[in-house]
Every structure is written in structure tokens, then in C-alpha cells.
């Protein structure tokens, strides 16, 4: 399943790069402005600077999550073989703030807690301090694996905040290895994007990967729902992915390296 996901996600991103590019440019400008603002803020060297920087960082996390989540409608259309519309991204921004601002602030708050807490615990210079620092670091790492599913779940299922957080934990604990692989995949996409200033694939590309992965993974639960007789964990793990992905394989078609430029040729004709 993961191999097909990588292939599908690559061609989905390639065929629809414009719908990733424009939102990524907006996001890149926002991040650049935020980083520049924090840089000049720390130059003031005042006592209140750190507290103000923390507030700005947390709020910026909320805005960033909203700008990324605003592209969810287009990203889902791409993943579901639909037709995205660039105007939809800008139309979705106000609604995205309602859905994702709190989530972004939560993520930023977790990062701040680790940034402040780990050095403080290590400063105790004893085994208890080290233990608390390790536990905090482990907590942040697990939350990264869990919360990576929040925006994709909201995009696909459109649930409220509490229910979506609960589903994030369910997806993680029921698909731990898959969540770990997706976190590595998303991190790799992000690092590659940093080379070209997050323009492509960028954070929209990361979101496309997460939505694509979750969309395919949810086939598992549709299949389990029609097979309630499977009681043991071993039986529930034997998912017939070849059958479940058959339609997606047909929709994607026999894509290969030569087909990368077919869409451009078609547009020229």
C-alpha cells in the first residue's frame, strides 16, 4: 500500500503543481515575515522580549496551520481525482481559521514547552532532571506522530476539534508503523522543500501526502466494517490491499517517467 501511495502522491503533485505552488508562496511570505519580525524583536534586548516572542510564535503557529489547511479542499480534490480550483484556496482561508487556528496554537505551544522545559530539566543536573527531559522529549515526539493526522482528518471528515483529536490518537495507535513512516516521509518532503524556500512541494505538498495516505488508509476501516466477523488482531491485520486499491490503480493508470510531461503536451495541443 505504501509503495502505491508514494507513486500516486508523486504524480498527483506533479500534475497539479500549480495548486501547490500558489498557496506555498503565500505561506513562504508569511513565514519570512514572521521570522524577520522575531529577528528584529530579539534585537531589542528587553526583558519582555522572550515572553512576547513566545506569544507571537504561538499565534503564528495558528495562522500557519490555517494557511496550510485552507488548501485542504483543493488537496482533497487532487487526491480524489477531482478538479481543484485555485480561487477556492483564497475563499477557504476565513473558514480555515475557525478549523485550524486553535490546532496550530496547540502545536506551537507543545514546541515551546519542549524548548523551555527540556533545558530546565537538564539544568537540574541529576537523574530526575534527565528522566523528565527524556519524558518530555518523548511526549513531543509522540504528539508529532499523532497530530500529523489532524488536518487530513478534518479535510476528509470535517469533524469538530475534540472528535478529530480523538480520531488522531485512534489512527496513530491502530497504525503506529504507518504513522511513523508518514512522519519520516513528510519530514523528507519538508527538508527537500527547504532547498527551494518551501515553494515546491512545500507544506501544501506535505498536506497532499498526508491526505493521500489517510484517504487510502481509510479503506482498511471500510473493509473491516463489512467484515465484523474478524475478531483477532492477526485476522484484522490481513488487509487485502490489492483488492482495495484496484480502483485507484485504474484511475491513476500506468504512469511512468515518460508520462510526466503528457499533461503539458495535452495543454499545448
Amino acid at each position: 500500500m505504501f509503495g502505491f501511495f508514494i507513486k500516486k502522491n508523486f504524480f498527483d503533485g506533479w500534475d497539479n503543481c500549480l495548486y501547490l505552488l500558489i498557496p506555498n508562496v503565500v505561506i513562504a511570505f508569511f513565514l519570512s515575515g514572521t521570522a524577520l519580525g522575531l529577528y528584529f524583536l530579539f534585537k531589542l534586548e528587553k526583558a519582555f522580549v522572550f515572553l512576547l516572542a513566545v506569544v507571537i510564535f504561538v499565534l503564528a503557529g495558528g495562522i500557519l496551520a490555517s494557511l496550510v489547511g485552507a488548501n485542504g479542499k483543493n488537496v482533497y480534490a487532487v487526491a480524489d481525482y477531482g478538479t481543484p480550483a485555485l480561487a477556492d484556496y483564497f475563499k477557504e482561508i476565513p473558514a480555515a481559521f475557525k478549523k485550524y487556528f486553535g490546532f496550530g496554537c496547540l502545536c506551537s505551544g507543545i514546541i515551546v514547552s519542549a524548548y523551555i522545559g527540556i533545558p530546565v530539566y537538564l539544568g537540574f543536573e541529576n537523574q530526575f532532571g534527565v528522566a523528565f527531559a527524556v519524558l518530555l522529549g518523548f511526549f513531543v515526539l509522540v504528539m508529532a506522530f499523532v497530530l500529523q493526522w489532524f488536518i487530513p482528518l478534518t479535510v476528509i471528515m470535517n469533524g469538530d476539534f475534540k472528535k478529530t483529536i480523538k480520531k488522531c490518537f485512534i489512527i496513530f495507535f491502530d497504525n503506529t508503523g504507518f504513522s511513523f513512516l508518514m512522519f519520516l516521509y513528510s519530514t523528507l518532503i519538508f527538508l527537500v522543500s527547504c532547498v527551494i524556500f518551501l515553494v515546491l512541494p512545500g507544506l501544501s505538498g506535505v498536506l497532499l501526502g498526508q491526505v493521500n495516505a489517510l484517504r487510502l488508509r481509510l479503506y482498511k476501516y471500510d473493509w473491516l466494517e463489512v467484515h465484523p466477523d474478524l475478531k483477532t488482531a492477526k485476522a484484522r491485520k490481513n488487509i487485502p490491499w490489492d483488492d482495495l486499491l484496484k480502483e485507484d490503480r485504474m484511475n491513476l493508470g500506468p504512469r511512468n517517467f515518460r508520462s510526466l510531461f503528457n499533461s503539458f503536451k495535452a495543454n499545448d495541443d
Side-chain angles (χ1 to χ4, degrees):
M1 177 260 174
F2 198 78
F4 173 73
F5 151 70
I6 292 177
K7 178 182 178 180
K8 180 181 185 302
N9 194 62
F10 174 79
F11 284 109
D12 283 350
W14 176 268
D15 293 342
N16 299 275
C17 58
L18 177 64
Y19 303 102
L20 305 181
L21 175 64
I22 301 303
N24 283 340
V25 170
V26 174
I27 292 168
F29 271 109
F30 169 72
L31 289 175
S32 299
T34 302
L36 194 62
L38 289 173
Y39 172 78
F40 284 112
L41 180 63
F42 278 109
K43 274 184 159 291
L44 296 176
E45 297 182 354
K46 302 292 184 180
F48 63 87
V49 164
F50 182 76
L51 179 59
L52 183 58
V54 167
V55 173
I56 292 174
F57 182 80
V58 171
L59 295 178
I63 297 173
L64 176 61
S66 302
L67 293 177
V68 173
N71 205 28
K73 183 177 180 180
N74 277 336
V75 163
Y76 184 74
V78 169
D80 199 39
Y81 311 100
T83 304
L86 194 57
D88 286 344
Y89 172 68
F90 298 98
K91 291 179 182 178
E92 287 291 315
I93 290 178
F97 270 84
K98 296 179 182 179
K99 294 179 181 178
Y100 305 115
F101 183 80
F103 165 72
C105 290
L106 171 64
C107 293
S108 298
I110 292 173
I111 294 173
V112 169
S113 70
Y115 180 79
I116 296 175
I118 291 177
V120 169
Y121 288 137
L122 292 178
F124 292 166
E125 297 184 351
N126 56 43
Q127 58 184 359
F128 294 105
V130 173
F132 281 123
V134 171
L135 285 174
L136 179 55
F138 181 75
F139 167 77
V140 172
L141 185 61
V142 170
M143 291 305 294
F145 294 154
V146 171
L147 295 179
Q148 68 178 321
W149 299 119
F150 183 90
I151 296 181
L153 277 168
T154 305
V155 168
I156 295 175
M157 296 185 171
N158 200 31
D160 62 31
F161 186 87
K162 290 183 179 180
K163 288 182 179 179
T164 304
I165 290 291
K166 181 180 179 180
K167 289 177 182 177
C168 286
F169 280 95
I170 293 173
I171 293 293
F172 170 70
F173 285 113
D174 196 36
N175 304 273
T176 307
F178 182 74
S179 296
F180 176 72
L181 285 176
M182 271 308 302
F183 183 79
L184 291 181
Y185 179 83
S186 299
T187 301
L188 177 62
I189 294 296
F190 177 77
L191 293 176
V192 170
S193 303
C194 288
V195 177
I196 50 176
F197 308 103
L198 294 178
V199 174
L200 282 174
L203 292 179
S204 289
V206 172
L207 179 60
L208 174 62
Q210 293 171 337
V211 169
N212 247 325
L214 183 61
R215 177 184 170 277
L216 296 176
R217 200 67 178 181
L218 289 177
Y219 289 162
K220 164 185 174 180
Y221 297 97
D222 294 336
W223 184 79
L224 290 173
E225 188 174 343
V226 298
H227 292 84
D229 52 308
L230 300 175
K231 302 298 183 182
T232 66
K234 183 178 180 180
R236 292 172 64 87
K237 287 182 178 180
N238 293 324
I239 309 298
W241 285 113
D242 287 340
D243 293 335
L244 297 179
L245 298 176
K246 185 176 181 180
E247 185 176 348
D248 281 270
R249 293 184 193 277
M250 292 177 60
N251 288 331
L252 182 63
R255 299 298 299 268
N256 53 40
F257 181 77
R258 289 184 178 181
S259 69
L260 289 177
F261 301 98
N262 284 352
S263 57
F264 297 106
K265 289 180 180 179
N267 290 335
D268 290 341
D269 294 340

